[in-house]
Amino acid sequence: MSLLETLNTDLKTAMKNRDKATLATVRMLKAAVTNERIKLGHDLSEQDELAVLATELKQRKESLVEFEKADREDLVADLQGEIAIVQHYLPQPLSEAEVQDLVNQVVADTGAQSTKDFGKVMKALMPQVKGRADGSLVNRLVKAALTK
């Protein structure tokens, strides 16, 4: 079942259960996926769907930090609920050790020797971890692997 079909099913369930928070979040996710599909002009691949979900999650996490700084506890609680709903649709995240193993493998496969090869490593690595690992974590681990 595609992500859009899953979102439609969950949308109906949220309507039946009168779950306003889930309903609003699923509607936002569905709109984001639909907008991306329209922008690209074709159905989304699984990678494209994961990229949309990862973007939505990142936006919410950034907003959460800002709301916490502004001491807006009412908005923080709502946003934490949205984050949990978005994470429900994403695959299980990779641990730091799993990401490190992937980094080591890609560095070996690409023959990267120094930080000059950073772009080559990231280009090969990011499709493997998209939506499953934080980009800043991947960035940090690749830099560490290339500066050894």
Side-chain angles (χ1 to χ4, degrees):
M1 187 183 309
S2 76
L3 177 62
L4 211 48
E5 293 168 344
T6 304
L7 289 172
N8 280 327
T9 303
D10 291 350
L11 188 70
K12 290 175 189 173
T13 304
M15 284 181 182
K16 288 178 184 175
N17 295 338
R18 299 182 190 271
D19 184 354
K20 291 182 181 184
T22 302
L23 182 62
T25 305
V26 171
R27 279 184 175 154
M28 283 189 276
L29 292 175
K30 184 179 174 202
V33 170
T34 304
N35 288 339
E36 187 69 15
R37 192 176 98 211
I38 291 168
K39 185 175 105 180
L40 295 176
H42 58 79
D43 286 340
L44 300 179
S45 68
E46 189 174 334
Q47 288 295 104
D48 294 334
E49 291 173 345
L50 285 177
V52 171
L53 290 175
T55 301
E56 291 295 313
L57 182 63
K58 183 178 178 185
Q59 288 173 352
R60 282 166 176 75
K61 285 184 175 181
E62 289 171 354
S63 295
L64 183 66
V65 170
E66 294 301 317
F67 290 154
E68 286 173 341
K69 283 182 187 175
D71 201 29
R72 293 291 311 265
E73 293 304 317
D74 54 328
L75 298 175
V76 168
D78 293 342
L79 208 51
Q80 286 172 334
E82 286 184 23
I83 288 171
I85 293 167
V86 174
Q87 286 175 333
H88 167 75
Y89 296 102
L90 287 167
Q92 188 67 25
L94 296 171
S95 69
E96 187 169 340
E98 291 170 321
V99 176
Q100 184 66 55
D101 291 342
L102 283 171
V103 167
N104 293 338
Q105 179 185 350
V106 170
V107 167
D109 292 348
T110 59
Q113 305 262 333
S114 68
T115 54
K116 291 179 182 177
D117 300 320
F118 180 80
K120 182 170 45 170
V121 173
M122 290 297 283
K123 183 177 179 182
L125 183 62
M126 284 311 289
Q128 296 178 36
V129 299
K130 191 70 174 174
R132 297 176 61 205
D134 183 43
S136 61
L137 170 67
V138 175
N139 188 330
R140 181 173 51 84
L141 292 176
V142 168
K143 283 182 181 176
L146 294 176
T147 55
K148 287 182 182 175

